[in-house]
């Protein structure tokens, strides 16, 4: 199988828009990453996170040809999307 | 290398209970099984995460087993459930497309004419173009290369061209023939091909749905009652076009015949 190209991944569902997570999304990630009930099952967040750590994580995933880290946005009003209102997803081919 | 991908998802608090996780998963699965060509998606989830397991099961993931003390969380080793879904099991649109491709009805199209610009061959080409979703029409192009039928040369070691022809017929869900009329019958090349099928050990053509097309306004019914009926059982829908048939009507007729072949086992 040829190497995947992740830069232009864009996935749309009736209510959601998924696109690669970028460093500019750090503040949005921190909104939910500091909610212990959300991250209780993830060791990455166990010791608490800050912007630098999240940014480094995103950067590492961006540099990996085998990883795809997606941000998920919920649409508002049917067509526009409001960044950071929903979930984050990752796949590792 | 194995066309596998591991999946993980985090859902923020406000997004819970609204089916968004399933929707995001569906989008991801469509993309993975479609654009990325992934064969298998898998994930690990804590055995204690009942809600997560429920969502994954709803999306078609099945449990493969428990990974003991797999994940260190806050100083404790926790068991995880390994779950996966294969492309062919996936209930999303991408998987349905893949399944349709996998299980498409295959029609072998045979032209009775060897002419380079045969109207009968062109008719079969139109059938291929007009075939509805789920029907794949493949033109057989080896008619002129079949040796003259000779029962002495048949058997377990049939000539390679014959073996290839028989395997194509055997693999097809139906056969579509478009043939000219030569001297009140089918051309010798086509009759020769049918003779090889009659001699086949596996009765490749017997009981297989067969439709007969003809581009000539005069010859169809003669063909229908001609030599081919000895080799194949022609269902009532076997057809020829009358002189009044326009090109558009012919097209509609082709579509109607092919559409009836959407489901394996249906006669057309």
């Amino acid at each position: 199988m040829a190497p995947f190209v992740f830069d232009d991944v864009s996935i749309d569902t009736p209510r959601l828009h998924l696109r690669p997570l970028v460093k500019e999304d750090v503040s949005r990630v921190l909104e939910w990453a500091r909610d212990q009930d959300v991250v209780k099952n993830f060791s990455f967040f166990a010791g608490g996170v800050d912007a630098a750590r999240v940014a480094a994580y995103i950067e590492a995933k961006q540099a990996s040809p085998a990883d795809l880290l997606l941000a998920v946005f919920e649409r508002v009003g049917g067509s526009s999307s409001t960044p950071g209102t929903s979930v984050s997803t990752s796949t590792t081919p | 290398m194995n066309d596998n991908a591991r999946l993980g998802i985090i859902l923020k608090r406000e997004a819970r209970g609204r089916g968004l996780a399933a929707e995001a998963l569906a989008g991801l699965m469509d993309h993975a099984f479609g654009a990325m060509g992934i064969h298998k998606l898998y994930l690990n989830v804590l055995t204690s995460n009942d809600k997560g397991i429920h969502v994954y099961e709803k999306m078609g993931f099945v449990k493969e087993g428990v990974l003991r003390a797999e994940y260190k969380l806050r100083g404790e080793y926790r068991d995880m459930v390994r779950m996966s879904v294969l492309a062919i099991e996936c209930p999303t649109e991408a998987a349905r497309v893949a399944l349709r491709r996998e299980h498409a009805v295959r029609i072998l199209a045979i032209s009775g004419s060897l002419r380079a610009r045969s109207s009968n061959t062109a008719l079969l080409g139109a059938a291929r173009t007009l075939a509805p979703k789920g029907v794949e029409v493949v033109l057989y192009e080896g008619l002129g290369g079949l040796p003259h039928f000779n029962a002495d040369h048949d058997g377990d070691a049939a000539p390679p061209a014959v073996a290839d022809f028989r395997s194509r017929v055997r693999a097809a869900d139906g056969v579509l023939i478009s043939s000219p009329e030569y001297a009140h019958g089918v051309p010798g090349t086509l009759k020769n091909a049918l003779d090889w099928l009659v001699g086949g050990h596996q009765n490749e053509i017997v009981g297989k749905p067969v439709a007969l097309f003809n581009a000539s306004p005069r010859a169809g019914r003669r063909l229908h009652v001609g030599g081919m009926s000895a080799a194949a059982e022609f269902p009532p829908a076997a057809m020829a076009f009358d002189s009044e048939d326009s090109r558009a009507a012919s097209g509609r007729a082709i579509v109607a015949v092919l559409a009836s072949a959407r489901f394996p086992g249906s006669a057309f």
Side-chain angles (χ1 to χ4, degrees):
Chain A
M1 178 179 287
F4 298 119
V5 177
F6 292 140
D7 291 346
D8 58 352
V9 170
S10 178
I11 301 171
D12 289 293
T13 72
R15 292 182 292 173
L16 303 173
H17 172 67
L18 289 72
R19 56 115 171 114
L21 199 67
V22 295
K23 282 198 289 187
E24 288 72 21
D25 294 319
V26 166
S27 60
R28 299 178 185 117
V29 172
L30 288 174
E31 286 178 21
W32 53 260
R34 289 172 172 154
D35 184 337
Q36 285 304 306
D37 189 55
V38 170
V39 300
K40 64 185 178 186
N41 292 334
F42 298 89
S43 59
F44 176 83
F45 302 99
V49 292
D50 55 30
R53 191 163 180 230
V54 171
Y57 181 76
I58 292 173
E59 198 167 8
K61 292 298 181 184
Q62 285 178 324
S64 168
D67 291 325
L68 172 60
L69 189 62
L70 293 174
V72 184
F73 302 105
E74 185 176 6
R75 297 177 195 282
V76 175
S79 57
S80 62
S81 61
T82 301
T85 60
S86 188
V87 297
S88 178
T89 310
S90 67
T91 62
T92 306
Chain B
M1 180 169 24
N2 296 312
D3 300 337
N4 293 346
R6 181 175 171 178
L7 172 73
I9 184 168
I10 300 176
L11 190 67
K12 66 187 288 187
R13 188 188 295 259
E14 302 90 291
R16 292 175 178 170
R18 299 165 51 204
L20 293 176
E23 188 171 324
L25 275 173
L28 276 173
M29 292 161 75
D30 272 339
H31 184 75
F33 293 138
M36 294 174 69
I38 293 295
H39 161 69
K40 175 180 180 175
L41 278 174
Y42 68 96
L43 56 86
N44 297 336
V45 56
L46 290 169
T47 52
S48 58
N49 187 356
D50 294 330
K51 289 182 180 176
I53 292 172
H54 174 72
V55 170
Y56 295 130
E57 286 180 331
K58 190 170 72 173
M59 296 307 296
F61 284 77
V62 297
K63 295 176 180 173
E64 291 187 348
V66 174
L67 305 171
R68 297 185 304 150
E70 174 73 9
Y71 193 64
K72 189 175 183 179
L73 186 62
R74 290 186 289 274
E76 288 184 20
Y77 291 103
R78 307 279 296 274
D79 292 348
M80 302 196 86
V81 178
R82 160 84 174 235
M83 304 181 74
S84 67
V85 61
L86 306 180
I88 59 172
E89 300 167 337
C90 177
T92 59
E93 177 60 19
R96 287 196 291 274
V97 170
L99 283 171
R100 282 198 296 270
R101 194 180 301 129
E102 181 75 15
H103 298 290
V105 174
R106 292 182 176 86
I107 305 297
L108 183 66
I110 302 173
S111 174
S113 173
L114 299 181
R115 297 180 64 186
R117 300 184 64 184
S118 161
S119 54
N120 285 283
T121 304
L123 196 59
L124 294 175
R128 181 171 54 190
T129 302
L130 295 167
K133 284 184 178 178
V135 177
E136 180 185 18
V137 177
V138 178
L139 185 63
Y140 175 64
E141 297 178 295
L143 196 71
L146 291 172
H148 293 160
F149 175 71
N150 184 335
D152 291 343
H153 298 163
D154 201 3
D156 294 334
V162 174
D164 173 72
F165 177 53
R166 286 173 173 167
S167 70
R168 290 173 187 272
V169 173
R170 188 164 53 246
D173 298 301
V175 177
L176 186 60
I177 297 173
S178 185
S179 177
E181 174 229 347
Y182 291 170
H184 300 277
V186 297
T189 46
L190 180 58
K191 178 63 167 61
N192 181 56
L194 296 170
D195 287 344
W196 279 114
L197 291 178
V198 173
H201 291 298
Q202 299 189 40
N203 295 326
E204 291 84 2
I205 194 75
V206 175
K208 186 151 294 196
V210 177
L212 173 63
F213 285 178
N214 181 258
S216 165
R218 299 181 306 276
R221 290 185 175 78
R222 289 176 185 147
L223 284 173
H224 184 93
V225 297
M228 289 194 294
S229 61
E233 178 185 351
F234 287 94
M239 56 189 295
F241 298 124
D242 295 325
S243 57
E244 293 80 14
D245 282 333
S246 66
R247 186 182 296 264
S250 300
R252 285 194 295 273
I254 291 171
V255 170
V257 170
L258 293 174
S260 70
R262 278 178 171 167
F263 303 100
S266 66
F268 67 97

